[in-house]
Amino acid sequence: MHSPMAASPRGRFVVLDGVDGCGKSSQAKRLVARLAAQGRRTLHLREPGGTPLGEALRELLLAKTMDIGAASEVLLFAAARRALLDQAVEPALASGHMVVCERFGASTFAYQAYAGGLDEQLVLTLLGQWAQNPAPDAYVILDLDATQARARRGADRDRIEAKGLEFQRRVRAGFLRYARLDPRARVVDAREDADQVEELVWQELQHVYA
């Protein structure tokens, strides 16, 4: 008789987040490459995106021609996230993949609640009920002064980046506040060069990947 095949160990779900220009996309690629070099199956996602609905909402949310209030943004981001969790994250974790995602709930808190002026607890409650399961095993928030981030990223590429430097400063403060509220969050100084930041990120994730 054939013995039943053992189920794959469940994967781990990590989020890299931070103000526009902090380097999260570059660091996500580095983390994925590092995990792949260890022979770990890895899925790299971005928010909003990763599903047909998410990509369509991404185009809508970032279009400079659109006028979208913070409350509407929360609902649209949550819808995109729900689809991503159902269609991409949960199946990958169940099959043993490591999931590395650019942006998640911390972004919604920082951009729409803290910087956008919405009630913090109301936003956290909505996300907890509708767009937080499965939840990340760890958050890494790449912290960078908004002026430095602006210099790194160059010209505004989308509607949210075009909200201005003062808005981005509030966003940065929102990420730091989120890090105080969520025990999974780790703040990494993103001022260093990319190699140094990569090492700092890796150190902060050892409790997840060990």
Side-chain angles (χ1 to χ4, degrees), residues 18-20 110-111 114-116 143-151 153 160-161 163-177:
V19 70
D20 293 294
Y111 283 85
Y114 195 92
D143 181 47
L144 187 64
D145 175 80
T147 302
Q148 291 177 277
R150 176 73 169 80
R153 74 172 191 268
I160 294 177
E161 288 183 359
K163 289 188 177 186
L165 188 58
E166 185 54 40
F167 180 81
Q168 294 291 335
R169 289 193 178 107
R170 296 199 303 273
V171 168
R172 182 200 182 191
F175 275 116
L176 294 176
R177 173 158 172 73

Side-chain angles (χ1 to χ4, degrees), residues 60-74:
L60 176 71
L61 280 158
L62 299 184
K64 289 184 177 181
T65 57
M66 297 299 296
D67 182 11
I68 308 174
S72 295
E73 287 177 347
V74 167

Side-chain angles (χ1 to χ4, degrees), residues 24-35:
K24 66 187 173 301
S25 295
S26 297
Q27 289 302 324
K29 291 175 183 176
R30 285 169 173 257
L31 178 57
V32 167
R34 195 159 188 165
L35 290 167

Side-chain angles (χ1 to χ4, degrees), residues 27 34 140 142 186-206:
Q27 289 302 324
R34 195 159 188 165
V140 172
L142 300 173
R186 304 286 192 274
V187 177
V188 166
D189 187 342
R191 291 175 298 177
E192 306 297 338
D193 67 47
D195 290 341
Q196 291 174 295
V197 174
E198 178 185 345
E199 288 302 321
L200 292 171
V201 169
W202 186 249
Q203 291 169 19
E204 292 293 353
L205 293 176
Q206 286 309 292

Side-chain angles (χ1 to χ4, degrees), residues 108-154:
T108 311
F109 180 89
Y111 283 85
Q112 282 74 47
Y114 195 92
L118 299 181
D119 182 271
E120 294 178 6
Q121 192 54 54
L122 190 62
V123 170
L124 290 173
T125 298
L126 183 148
L127 296 179
Q129 291 177 339
W130 293 102
Q132 191 76 17
N133 184 28
D137 295 290
Y139 260 110
V140 172
I141 293 174
L142 300 173
D143 181 47
L144 187 64
D145 175 80
T147 302
Q148 291 177 277
R150 176 73 169 80
R152 280 189 184 181
R153 74 172 191 268

Side-chain angles (χ1 to χ4, degrees), residues 2-26:
H2 294 288
S3 58
M5 293 181 63
S8 299
R10 187 170 176 83
R12 296 290 181 267
F13 179 17
V14 166
V15 171
L16 272 63
D17 221 327
V19 70
D20 293 294
C22 69
K24 66 187 173 301
S25 295
S26 297

